[in-house]
Amino acid sequence: MSETTLRETALRLDSEDPLAKRRELFALDEAVYLDGNSLGALPAHVPDRMADVIAREWGRLRIRSWDESGWWTAPERIGDRIAPLVGAAPGQIVVGDSTSVNVFKAVVAAARLAGDDRDEILVDATTFPTDGYIAQSAARMTGRRLVPVAPHEVAAAAGPRTAAALVNHVDYRTGRLHDLPGITEALRAAGALAVWDLCHSAGALPVGLDAHGVDLAVGCTYKYLNGGPGAPAYLYVAERHQAAFDSPLPGWNSHADPFGMTPGYTAAEGALRGRVGTPDILSMLALESALDVWDGVSIEDVRAKSLALTDFFLRCVRAYVPEGAVESLTPEAHAERGSQVALRCDAAPAVMAELIARGVVGDLRRPDVLRFGFTPLYVGFADAERAARVLAEVVAEVLGGARDEASGGGRTV
Amino acid sequence: MSETTLRETALRLDSEDPLAKRRELFALDEAVYLDGNSLGALPAHVPDRMADVIAREWGRLRIRSWDESGWWTAPERIGDRIAPLVGAAPGQIVVGDSTSVNVFKAVVAAARLAGDDRDEILVDATTFPTDGYIAQSAARMTGRRLVPVAPHEVAAAAGPRTAAALVNHVDYRTGRLHDLPGITEALRAAGALAVWDLCHSAGALPVGLDAHGVDLAVGCTYKYLNGGPGAPAYLYVAERHQAAFDSPLPGWNSHADPFGMTPGYTAAEGALRGRVGTPDILSMLALESALDVWDGVSIEDVRAKSLALTDFFLRCVRAYVPEGAVESLTPEAHAERGSQVALRCDAAPAVMAELIARGVVGDLRRPDVLRFGFTPLYVGFADAERAARVLAEVVAEVLGGARDEASGGGRTV
């Protein structure tokens, strides 16, 4: 299909998009920002809110804000804001600490919930690395063996020795969506716990934590949830596990009576048990404010747009980019696709640098993967078309240049 | 001494105070803020800096800020800003996570450094509770026994089975300063590691981590360092221990090549090994900005003023408050005093509520302790005199009211 036709199609799709107006809620510029799967864009109202948090809540109310500005209860309050986006009833999510720290809490707690006779922990062999590193530490410190397994083999690998499996809902590199309902059910049938990492799915597609019987989950908030750089992560503890949830990080914020300041530890009831120390209030309240952009949004609409966007981007790439120059690592099947497109490309570092220079911002996963994240709240179809068009130009120049150089043409890439 | 004379003395001491001008760097009001040992006041320049971080670094540069705005290296860069305040050479402190999480890293790492034949961990029996809870978890997960010991008995208790001791430099409740050099030396002599919690000393007095041979230390940044509510904590790993430092939380930020994203973990060199996950950038950069108020300040001058302030406050309390109404829990001896005064008082909750209502902000430690923190960068001698004077008024009214009520006078307290 010609460029003209695809541009016209993009304009039509944008005009029909029920989420198109959400884009106005964000601080964006002329760039096509396809890196929201790494750092979500700034919601435009957050700066004013944070100015108030800093100048009034910290600067004037100071210590009183722990009560009067609701700082103390922010971790569970914000958890309840995230809950509907991941299909969780209230009271099961607390916000705080990094994803890595929450992976540690979740995997250790899962091992303890499973019991001492289950001495293996499965981990997604294709995981974002920190999950694997931390799961290894959790296994070491709970006397268990860590077994890396490809996500599609987790169900078959789970057995009577399996305590738990830690799996990514969407693969950070390829954008592949894993079968959360099926894997969770297989783990349950084997008597093991399912621990899901939602970093690349929450805010991009329905998760259904409660509906699918997930045991524990973690996720970050700075990607599709737009919470800001390094915004605190969250921990989901299904209600049925809360009474026996035994945290390896039982800090005073998870105590039943934190201001009693007793030397003995008594865990709080509920998801509060996942709290640890004093929460980083500035980052946390930026996240809380950022979540306003979700008011009135259906995650099913987000998913529909996400799939339409990645379909359309792949269609434009096929139309524009020379055959063989890039290869999609992202599954065609909707049931297996998250909200990003990953393209393998020989000259990926040079291509991504030039794309960014021309206002199409994706990112690179070494050595050869171009990642393009599609955030349905602020990316449109015209963005997708433009990104593919600029990619085609850049690929032609960079690969062409490389061929010239290889043949002695001397052109610098 | 009469009120008039003490007020005159206060004005003279303020006029002679070399740190008096620092107060102008903070956003303060007419209240006497004596709760900087819980939440430090806002440095006045921080709102503008954070507006830029949010609107430009997050909002416009977005993902590029990880490199271009120095986000990625913030934990070690800010650690090096804190280092001189606690007597550490560069390259030994990283900022990030809560104090509780850093206690876990430090105690587990200390146990591992000490070796498996040392099966006891000593913990300050008077510690701020979270240290005890977390040390218990660290002991459990490293197969050791946790032994609570009063700080002045740690030196005698350390023996061939002692792996490490976790001690508070200054007691959060009484303000007692513990003997860091002596206890550290005794632990060293016993072959055990010294892990210090600096939450209530850093920024208030010289710590001398390197000079005294401390092994590991943690601290928060939202008290005397004024980093903001829940600002990230820090971890000190003495250079001699860095090569063998074995973190229980080996997240991807502590990997030798984090963007290599390899499934196997290889620890970074140096204090970076104490990093875990993606740092909470907004809270972290507020802290970095807040540290500007220390430029050109000598921690010895801070200590001298701190002692003068607490001396003077105690003198005013003795002069103004009815005999027997309050009892100081804070040692008279300078060598045993931090930067707060703790007064035991029968009606402490009612007294503190009324003090705050009258613009003297301290805090309560249940059931009966009034805490007054003296932050030398922004608290002056006139503040101390006014706080004691208002305390005397409130104590007389509340205790007098209580006596009226007890005798049937019917007055509501």
Side-chain angles (χ1 to χ4, degrees):
Chain A
M1 195 178 285
S2 72
E3 289 197 10
T4 310
T5 315
L6 283 170
R7 284 197 218 187
E8 284 165 359
T9 304
L11 294 176
R12 179 179 54 77
L13 290 169
D14 279 331
S15 73
E16 295 166 0
D17 170 17
L19 293 175
K21 297 282 282 183
R22 292 276 151 174
R23 182 189 183 103
E24 295 166 14
L25 301 180
F26 291 86
L28 292 165
D29 50 27
E30 63 292 344
V32 177
Y33 190 64
L34 301 180
D35 213 6
N37 55 336
S38 186
L39 175 65
L42 171 70
H45 66 285
V46 168
D48 284 350
R49 168 64 183 140
M50 290 309 293
D52 184 59
V53 166
I54 295 170
R56 186 178 58 85
E57 296 188 2
W58 173 13
R60 292 211 289 278
L61 295 178
R62 289 186 284 264
I63 196 69
R64 291 163 52 189
S65 276
W66 282 107
D67 290 326
E68 293 178 26
S69 304
W71 290 356
W72 184 264
T73 52
E76 50 269 27
R77 182 177 70 241
I78 303 171
D80 282 347
R81 291 280 304 273
I82 293 172
L85 296 173
V86 292
Q92 299 177 104
I93 296 181
V94 284
V95 173
D97 304 308
S98 66
T99 304
S100 298
V101 170
N102 282 296
V103 167
F104 188 72
K105 296 178 206 169
V107 176
V108 170
R112 290 173 174 171
L113 285 164
D116 285 343
D117 52 330
R118 291 179 172 266
D119 63 355
E120 285 182 357
I121 295 170
L122 309 184
V123 66
D124 180 345
T126 57
T127 186
F128 183 77
T130 209
D131 296 47
Y133 307 157
I134 294 286
Q136 178 63 55
S137 176
R140 170 186 177 189
M141 297 190 79
T142 58
R144 283 164 177 87
R145 195 166 69 94
L146 189 72
V147 184
V149 178
H152 68 279
E153 291 171 345
V154 166
R161 296 179 62 175
T162 310
L166 169 66
V167 193
N168 292 264
H169 196 192
V170 171
D171 186 285
Y172 80 101
R173 195 170 150 276
T174 63
R176 178 180 291 275
L177 172 64
H178 297 133
D179 177 15
L180 183 143
I183 295 172
T184 301
E185 172 54 26
L187 288 164
R188 195 202 58 71
L193 282 86
V195 185
W196 286 92
D197 180 330
L198 310 178
C199 284
H200 285 271
S201 63
L205 50 90
V207 177
L209 289 176
D210 288 350
H212 301 306
V214 167
D215 298 293
L216 298 157
V218 303
C220 80
T221 63
Y222 45 76
K223 300 181 188 290
Y224 297 102
L225 298 180
N226 313 301
Y234 55 89
L235 173 70
Y236 164 87
V237 181
E239 193 176 6
R240 64 187 177 283
H241 291 310
Q242 290 173 358
F245 181 84
D246 182 8
S247 174
L249 295 169
W252 74 297
N253 275 228
S254 70
H255 196 284
D257 179 18
F259 291 94
M261 302 202 171
T262 54
Y265 179 74
T266 306
E269 298 291 315
L272 290 188
R273 221 169 252 214
R275 290 182 60 165
V276 185
T278 304
D280 45 338
I281 291 298
L282 300 188
S283 289
M284 190 151 308
L285 298 187
L287 163 62
E288 182 173 38
S289 177
L291 290 172
D292 290 351
V293 299
W294 294 96
D295 289 349
V297 172
S298 133
I299 195 72
E300 286 73 21
D301 286 350
V302 168
R303 175 62 169 164
K305 180 174 175 187
S306 161
L307 288 171
L309 276 170
T310 51
D311 274 344
F312 185 67
F313 178 68
L314 285 166
R315 180 176 158 196
C316 293
V317 168
R318 278 189 293 266
Y320 295 164
V321 179
E323 183 83 24
V326 300
E327 172 201 1
S328 174
L329 303 178
T330 302
E332 282 293 316
H334 284 180
E336 297 175 7
R337 192 194 304 163
S339 198
Q340 76 177 43
V341 171
L343 302 177
R344 212 200 54 70
C345 176
D346 281 340
V351 167
M352 185 50 71
E354 188 58 27
L355 275 175
I356 292 169
R358 297 188 192 187
V360 174
V361 181
D363 65 21
L364 176 73
R365 284 296 171 260
R366 292 186 342 210
D368 60 358
V369 175
L370 305 169
R371 281 202 326 176
F372 302 95
F374 290 85
T375 309
L377 293 192
Y378 56 77
V379 172
F381 295 88
D383 296 322
E385 190 276 339
R386 181 175 146 206
R389 185 159 32 87
V390 177
L391 173 66
E393 294 165 12
V394 170
V395 161
E397 289 177 33
V398 169
L399 293 184
R403 285 189 199 106
D404 289 350
E405 196 171 14
S407 62
R411 180 170 163 191
T412 303
V413 181
Chain B
M1 195 178 284
S2 73
E3 289 197 11
T4 310
T5 314
L6 283 170
R7 283 196 218 190
E8 284 166 0
T9 304
L11 294 175
R12 179 178 55 74
L13 291 168
D14 278 331
S15 74
E16 295 166 0
D17 169 18
L19 293 174
K21 296 283 282 182
R22 292 275 152 175
R23 182 190 185 102
E24 295 167 14
L25 300 179
F26 292 85
L28 292 165
D29 50 27
E30 64 290 345
V32 177
Y33 190 64
L34 302 180
D35 212 6
N37 55 338
S38 186
L39 175 64
L42 171 70
H45 67 285
V46 168
D48 283 351
R49 168 64 182 138
M50 290 309 293
D52 184 60
V53 166
I54 295 170
R56 186 179 58 84
E57 296 189 2
W58 173 13
R60 292 210 291 277
L61 295 177
R62 291 186 283 264
I63 196 70
R64 291 163 51 190
S65 276
W66 282 107
D67 290 325
E68 294 179 27
S69 303
W71 290 356
W72 184 263
T73 52
E76 50 269 27
R77 182 177 70 241
I78 303 171
D80 282 347
R81 291 278 306 271
I82 293 171
L85 296 172
V86 292
Q92 299 177 103
I93 295 182
V94 283
V95 173
D97 304 310
S98 65
T99 304
S100 298
V101 170
N102 282 297
V103 166
F104 188 73
K105 296 178 207 169
V107 175
V108 170
R112 290 173 174 172
L113 285 164
D116 284 344
D117 53 328
R118 292 180 171 265
D119 63 354
E120 285 181 358
I121 295 170
L122 310 183
V123 66
D124 180 346
T126 57
T127 186
F128 183 78
T130 210
D131 296 46
Y133 308 156
I134 294 285
Q136 178 63 57
S137 176
R140 170 186 176 189
M141 296 189 80
T142 59
R144 283 164 176 86
R145 193 167 71 94
L146 189 72
V147 184
V149 177
H152 67 277
E153 291 171 346
V154 166
R161 296 180 61 176
T162 309
L166 169 66
V167 193
N168 292 265
H169 196 191
V170 171
D171 186 286
Y172 79 101
R173 194 169 150 277
T174 63
R176 178 180 290 274
L177 172 65
H178 298 132
D179 176 15
L180 182 143
I183 294 172
T184 301
E185 172 54 27
L187 287 165
R188 196 202 57 73
L193 282 85
V195 185
W196 285 93
D197 180 331
L198 311 178
C199 284
H200 285 271
S201 62
L205 49 91
V207 177
L209 289 175
D210 288 349
H212 301 306
V214 168
D215 298 293
L216 298 156
V218 302
C220 79
T221 62
Y222 47 76
K223 299 182 188 292
Y224 297 103
L225 298 180
N226 314 300
Y234 56 90
L235 173 70
Y236 164 88
V237 181
E239 191 176 7
R240 65 187 176 284
H241 291 309
Q242 291 173 358
F245 180 85
D246 182 7
S247 174
L249 294 169
W252 74 297
N253 275 228
S254 70
H255 196 283
D257 180 18
F259 291 94
M261 302 202 171
T262 54
Y265 180 74
T266 307
E269 299 290 316
L272 290 188
R273 221 169 253 215
R275 290 181 62 165
V276 185
T278 304
D280 44 338
I281 290 299
L282 301 188
S283 289
M284 189 151 308
L285 298 188
L287 163 62
E288 182 173 38
S289 177
L291 291 171
D292 290 351
V293 300
W294 293 96
D295 289 351
V297 172
S298 133
I299 196 72
E300 285 73 22
D301 286 351
V302 168
R303 174 62 169 163
K305 180 174 174 186
S306 161
L307 288 170
L309 276 170
T310 50
D311 274 344
F312 185 68
F313 177 68
L314 285 166
R315 180 176 158 196
C316 294
V317 168
R318 278 189 293 266
Y320 296 165
V321 178
E323 183 83 24
V326 300
E327 172 201 2
S328 174
L329 303 177
T330 302
E332 282 293 317
H334 284 180
E336 297 175 8
R337 192 193 305 164
S339 197
Q340 75 177 44
V341 172
L343 301 177
R344 212 199 55 71
C345 176
D346 281 340
V351 167
M352 184 50 70
E354 187 59 27
L355 275 174
I356 292 169
R358 297 188 192 186
V360 174
V361 181
D363 65 22
L364 177 73
R365 283 298 171 256
R366 292 185 345 208
D368 60 359
V369 174
L370 305 169
R371 281 201 326 177
F372 301 96
F374 289 84
T375 309
L377 293 193
Y378 57 76
V379 172
F381 294 90
D383 296 322
E385 189 275 339
R386 180 174 147 207
R389 184 158 34 85
V390 176
L391 173 67
E393 294 165 11
V394 170
V395 161
E397 289 177 33
V398 170
L399 293 184
R403 285 191 198 106
D404 289 350
E405 195 172 15
S407 62
R411 180 169 163 193
T412 302
V413 181

